Amino acid sequence: MTYLLRLLEKEKFSTVLSYLEGWKRGEVELEEEEILAAVKCEKAQVGFKAVEVLFERFPFERAKEIFRKLFGVTPFSPTVKFLFPAVSKDEKVLVSGLAFLSDKTFSLCKELSQVKEVVGKEFAFFYDREFTGNSFQAPLAYALLYGELPKNILLSGRLFPNGDFEAERVREKEEVAMKNGKFLIAKGN
């Protein structure tokens, strides 16, 4: 068993993240089984980082080939990164999302049928921390359809079948946005 697989088995996630940073810098190499295990890790931050590094480290065609071989999903576009506010009773945070168009919809945990219906295409979606609710739907759909938002803008909200969106707990999400120097759009079409 490789070093990274042992770390994952022992749930040493901060060390795994450091190891993935080393992979990003070219200081270590990962075997395909290690990439597979990292992407499928139960800790969202590890899976997000593994996908992020895979697509940053390799030219798109090579990353696409690796992803297809490991997951049976063929990426059609480079990754798009985005942020969205998530609010729970315990925390108010920005969550990082990463997505790309693909031949099949792929995500480890979230229900994506509403986004798929509005976007009209298959895609993959990853995020760097657990969250509840559907606030990711509007920014995910925007990222897939149009690419990155301007750096100072955040979207948040559940999508409706016609493409409109609306967020809940808007005041708290505006606080998160302002705290991070961003403007929140929480309702639109």
Side-chain angles (χ1 to χ4, degrees):
M1 181 181 292
T2 68
Y3 178 66
L4 182 65
L5 294 177
R6 283 194 306 273
L7 290 173
L8 287 166
E9 185 177 86
K10 293 180 180 183
E11 298 184 354
K12 303 287 186 183
F13 298 127
S14 62
T15 307
V16 169
L17 291 168
S18 296
Y19 200 78
L20 291 171
E21 280 297 323
W23 182 44
K24 179 179 181 177
R25 292 187 301 270
E27 297 166 358
V28 296
E29 291 299 322
L30 296 184
E31 299 294 322
E32 287 181 353
E33 69 176 324
E34 293 173 304
I35 298 169
L36 176 68
V39 171
K40 287 188 168 184
C41 179
E42 66 189 46
K43 182 83 167 169
Q45 189 176 11
V46 171
F48 177 89
K49 178 56 86 177
V51 173
E52 179 182 50
V53 173
L54 173 65
F55 281 89
E56 287 177 3
R57 181 128 194 268
F58 296 103
F60 177 69
E61 289 302 316
R62 179 68 179 127
K64 175 179 167 177
E65 181 183 307
I66 292 168
F67 205 88
R68 179 178 50 241
K69 182 176 179 184
L70 293 177
F71 299 102
V73 175
T74 303
F76 290 158
S77 67
T79 59
V80 178
K81 295 179 189 176
F82 57 96
L83 298 170
F84 59 95
V87 176
S88 71
K89 65 178 181 159
D90 299 324
E91 63 181 355
K92 300 173 186 173
V93 297
L94 279 182
V95 177
S96 294
L98 180 146
F100 54 83
L101 296 173
S102 61
D103 65 339
K104 301 180 211 180
T105 296
F106 180 84
S107 183
L108 299 177
C109 297
K110 296 295 174 187
E111 169 54 45
L112 302 171
S113 61
Q114 191 69 17
V115 177
K116 187 175 168 183
E117 181 179 333
V118 170
V119 172
K121 297 178 181 176
E122 305 286 338
F123 58 89
F125 169 51
F126 301 88
Y127 42 91
D128 73 342
R129 65 184 321 130
E130 293 300 324
F131 61 92
T132 59
N134 296 316
S135 60
F136 71 95
Q137 291 178 342
L140 172 58
Y142 184 94
L144 291 166
L145 291 169
Y146 307 110
E148 293 183 9
L149 280 163
K151 297 291 183 211
N152 64 334
I153 302 290
L154 295 176
L155 287 181
S156 178
R158 176 174 60 97
L159 281 175
F160 297 99
N162 66 355
D164 290 352
F165 66 94
E166 188 169 358
E168 297 176 346
R169 302 178 78 170
V170 174
R171 240 181 270 156
E172 293 166 289
K173 290 177 180 180
E174 284 175 335
E175 288 174 23
V176 173
M178 289 185 344
K179 179 179 155 191
N180 288 279
K182 300 188 183 298
F183 176 77
L184 176 69
I185 299 172
K187 185 175 184 177
N189 56 10

